Amino acid sequence: MFSKKLYLLLVLQALVMLAKAQQRPQYTQYVFNNYLLNPAVSGIENYTDVKLGYRSQWTGLEGAPVTSYFSINAPIGTNFVQGDASAFPSSGGEYPQSRLYTQEYRASEPHHGIGFNVVSDKTGPITQTNLNATYAYHLGITSKLNLALGVAAGFSHLNINTALITLENANDPTINNLQASQWKPDLGVGIWAYSGNYYVGVSAQQILPQNLYITTGNSANQSKTVPHFFFTGGYKFYVSDDISLMPSALIKFIEPVPATFDVNLKMSFRDRFWLGGSYRKDDSFAVLAGFNLSSFINVGYSYDITTSALRTVSNGTHEIVLGILLNNRYKLTSPQHGW
């Protein structure tokens, strides 16, 4: 009986979040894939970047959020793909953005980036799937600084499995009048400034306002999508020839809830493996680790320790990300701009 009440409470919380608060999934390892938050990151690396991610939030709690995603993005532009502004040979030789390349970093040649991502987020009976194609244009605004402008466009599909919802009144019009499956257009934009050892980004998701759960009666309110704004930045510096540190932060603005933020610190050893920690305001602490297994594959894992009221019923949050580096002509073992 207790578990059923807790499940219903979680369902109601999910409905409230969709109506008035955060309507997109959150990630602990967004630093590993900023492309999910900002379309301007499309084509930032000199290879085709593929990511597969899975996040199980508040494990142990029935109906808790589960998020999975697939993303791919790649650069377009001969000057960039065949080398970069550092004028290294198009094949062979050392990649101009290898370790410690920040000492002689030069902005990349102007180029385009394209990509695609699909994100599925399920909470109780509610499943939201977002499919977006992305485009970005990268140009050098100084000899050491690039600016990228990006756009994401696609569709959002929202589905409510009403069979999983049991109410005291089986004829409650709030449930019976719901349009359980909906497709809506989706649009996002972003700006990304980056150099050899830092980045700053601003993006907006879900900027087209849409009604959700349209009803045929007057007894239930319509909920609406709200824009999500993200401000993020990071800085990389070397402690030694082998060890680098990167502090970073993310601030989220989602009306009408108060602004929230994440702060992170990641330590990398020779770009082969990394460890990190993260804090999300009023929500969790997290530990992160990753291994760059080869020039073809890398993997990251994080575990969130819940600090909110849900800590009494949650076993924490697990998130794993698998990265695949296709067309990796310089045999990099680590992202150079994603860090």
Side-chain angles (χ1 to χ4, degrees):
M1 186 68 177
F2 175 74
S3 61
K4 289 183 177 180
K5 289 183 178 179
L6 195 59
Y7 178 69
L8 181 58
L9 179 63
L10 185 66
V11 170
L12 293 175
Q13 181 185 26
L15 289 168
V16 170
M17 288 179 66
L18 280 170
K20 297 183 177 180
Q22 181 167 323
Q23 299 164 343
R24 293 293 179 95
Q26 63 185 9
Y27 310 95
T28 298
Q29 295 190 69
Y30 66 88
V31 177
F32 195 46
N33 193 12
N34 274 301
Y35 172 67
L36 288 174
L37 303 181
N38 195 320
V41 177
S42 305
I44 197 171
E45 300 289 352
N46 200 333
Y47 54 82
T48 300
D49 187 12
V50 179
K51 293 285 197 309
L52 297 97
Y54 178 83
R55 177 181 174 87
S56 178
Q57 189 165 320
W58 304 330
T59 56
L61 187 58
E62 183 181 1
V66 174
T67 305
S68 55
Y69 69 81
F70 165 82
S71 71
I72 181 171
N73 70 92
I76 300 176
T78 302
N79 289 338
F80 180 75
V81 175
Q82 300 300 324
D84 74 351
S86 298
F88 276 70
S90 60
S91 63
E94 183 182 5
Y95 180 57
Q97 294 177 353
S98 59
R99 275 190 51 77
L100 294 176
Y101 77 98
T102 55
Q103 295 176 355
E104 298 182 1
Y105 179 83
R106 295 175 61 186
S108 301
E109 290 283 359
H111 66 280
H112 307 273
I114 58 172
F116 173 79
N117 63 75
V118 54
V119 179
S120 176
D121 187 51
K122 185 178 188 300
T123 303
I126 303 172
T127 301
Q128 179 169 298
T129 303
N130 296 97
L131 302 94
N132 280 283
T134 65
Y135 167 80
Y137 183 69
H138 301 250
L139 70 160
I141 56 176
T142 73
S143 62
K144 294 183 177 295
L145 179 64
N146 278 100
L147 182 68
L149 307 175
V151 61
F155 297 93
S156 176
H157 179 248
L158 197 64
N159 181 75
I160 303 178
N161 186 352
T162 55
L164 297 179
I165 303 176
T166 302
L167 300 178
E168 183 176 351
N169 178 9
N171 296 316
D172 192 322
T174 302
I175 296 297
N176 293 336
N177 292 335
L178 286 179
Q179 184 178 332
S181 179
Q182 303 179 50
W183 285 93
K184 301 289 185 180
D186 192 22
L187 184 66
V189 294
I191 302 174
W192 197 261
Y194 60 96
S195 187
N197 57 349
Y198 67 88
Y199 67 84
V200 179
V202 180
S203 62
Q205 293 183 349
Q206 206 168 261
I207 61 179
L208 294 176
Q210 302 288 338
N211 290 328
L212 301 174
Y213 308 131
I214 299 175
T215 67
T216 58
N218 297 320
S219 59
N221 294 324
Q222 292 181 351
S223 59
K224 295 181 180 292
T225 62
V226 295
H228 290 42
F229 298 98
F230 303 95
F231 298 80
T232 186
Y235 184 86
K236 184 177 185 179
F237 60 93
Y238 288 93
V239 176
S240 68
D241 289 345
D242 295 327
I243 298 175
S244 61
L245 294 177
M246 191 194 77
S248 63
L250 171 68
I251 305 175
K252 293 179 281 190
F253 294 92
I254 307 167
E255 291 290 346
V257 299
T260 187
F261 63 86
D262 297 29
V263 290
N264 317 278
L265 181 63
K266 173 183 169 184
M267 180 181 70
S268 176
F269 181 77
R270 289 191 175 181
D271 289 341
R272 290 293 181 177
F273 68 88
W274 53 269
L275 299 171
S278 178
Y279 168 72
R280 180 175 297 118
K281 181 179 181 292
D282 299 328
D283 183 75
S284 64
F285 288 95
V287 291
L288 306 88
F291 295 90
N292 302 316
L293 301 177
S294 69
S295 61
F296 177 71
I297 192 168
N298 49 46
V299 62
Y301 169 79
S302 62
Y303 176 72
D304 295 20
I305 304 167
T306 306
T307 60
S308 68
L310 287 172
R311 65 182 180 274
T312 58
V313 292
S314 166
N315 295 327
T317 297
H318 301 272
E319 184 176 327
I320 187 166
V321 180
L322 178 68
I324 300 173
L325 291 66
L326 300 178
N327 303 320
N328 186 6
R329 62 187 296 112
Y330 289 100
K331 304 302 180 183
L332 293 170
T333 58
S334 171
Q336 299 303 299
H337 290 104
W339 303 330

